[in-house]
Amino acid sequence: MGDCIFCKIVNGEIPSSKVYETAKVLAFDDINPMAPVHVIIIPKEHIPTLLDVTSEKMDVLEAMVSAAQEVAKIKGIDEKGFRTVINCNKEGGQIIFHLHVHVLGGEKLKDELN
Ligand code: AMP
Ligand code: ZN
């Protein structure tokens, strides 16, 4: 997808601080972290939002959940705890329209939604 920042990261056109990678997903540090640990997990395939995850694409969510588990272990926040967030569309706070999971941790997170 021509103008998509996250597709450009997948293609290596924009650098990223890679945390974890499989054939289906890529995880990298968020450029503007909201917590001591803030990792973004994306499918390598361009899927705009959570609403575009059709039944044929559910394997992508499985790969993203598995990646979140691995990222939490790699960052050492699995035992203490962490938060996963998927923003969807404008009022959900989605800014980049390439599906992604935020993995946040490394401190006691506030209980606010945003
Ligand atoms: P969202 O509001 O859910 O669409 O979140 C998009 C996230 O992507 C934000 O937390 C941004 O800080 C992050 N982000 C934007 N550009 C980059 C980039 N080039 N590398 C890493 N993270 C990015
Ligand atoms: Zn994309």
Side-chain angles (χ1 to χ4, degrees), residues 1 4 6-7 46-47 97-98:
M1 294 287 153
C4 174
F6 286 173
C7 281
H46 181 85
I47 298 173
F97 284 79
H98 179 131

Side-chain angles (χ1 to χ4, degrees), residues 4 8 17 23 26 28 34 38 43 47 52 55 62 66 69-70 76-77 90 95 98 103:
C4 174
K8 287 184 176 168
S17 169
L26 179 65
F28 49 87
M34 306 296 281
H38 188 172
I47 298 173
D52 299 301
S55 54
E62 191 180 329
S66 176
Q69 295 171 347
E70 293 307 314
I77 58 171
K90 198 173 171 191
I95 290 169
H98 179 131
V103 177

Side-chain angles (χ1 to χ4, degrees), residues 8-114:
K8 287 184 176 168
I9 287 177
V10 171
N11 296 333
E13 293 168 50
I14 291 178
S16 71
S17 169
K18 186 164 79 179
V19 174
Y20 177 75
E21 182 174 16
T22 69
K24 285 184 185 169
V25 302
L26 179 65
F28 49 87
D29 291 312
D30 196 292
I31 205 168
N32 182 24
M34 306 296 281
V37 174
H38 188 172
V39 175
I40 298 288
I41 300 169
I42 64 171
K44 289 184 174 176
E45 175 188 358
H46 181 85
I47 298 173
T49 82
L50 192 64
L51 294 170
D52 299 301
V53 183
T54 52
S55 54
E56 309 86 68
K57 290 189 193 290
M58 283 299 164
D59 61 315
V60 168
L61 281 192
E62 191 180 329
M64 291 172 81
V65 170
S66 176
Q69 295 171 347
E70 293 307 314
V71 164
K73 289 177 199 162
I74 289 165
K75 291 290 189 179
I77 58 171
D78 51 330
E79 292 296 331
K80 282 191 170 177
F82 59 96
R83 181 172 295 162
T84 52
V85 175
I86 299 176
N87 296 324
C88 185
N89 279 340
K90 198 173 171 191
E91 290 196 0
Q94 187 172 8
I95 290 169
I96 298 190
F97 284 79
H98 179 131
L99 178 65
H100 52 282
V101 178
H102 298 255
V103 177
L104 297 144
E107 66 182 7
K108 176 72 177 83
L109 298 169
K110 293 193 182 77
D111 288 328
E112 298 150 17
L113 283 173
N114 49 42

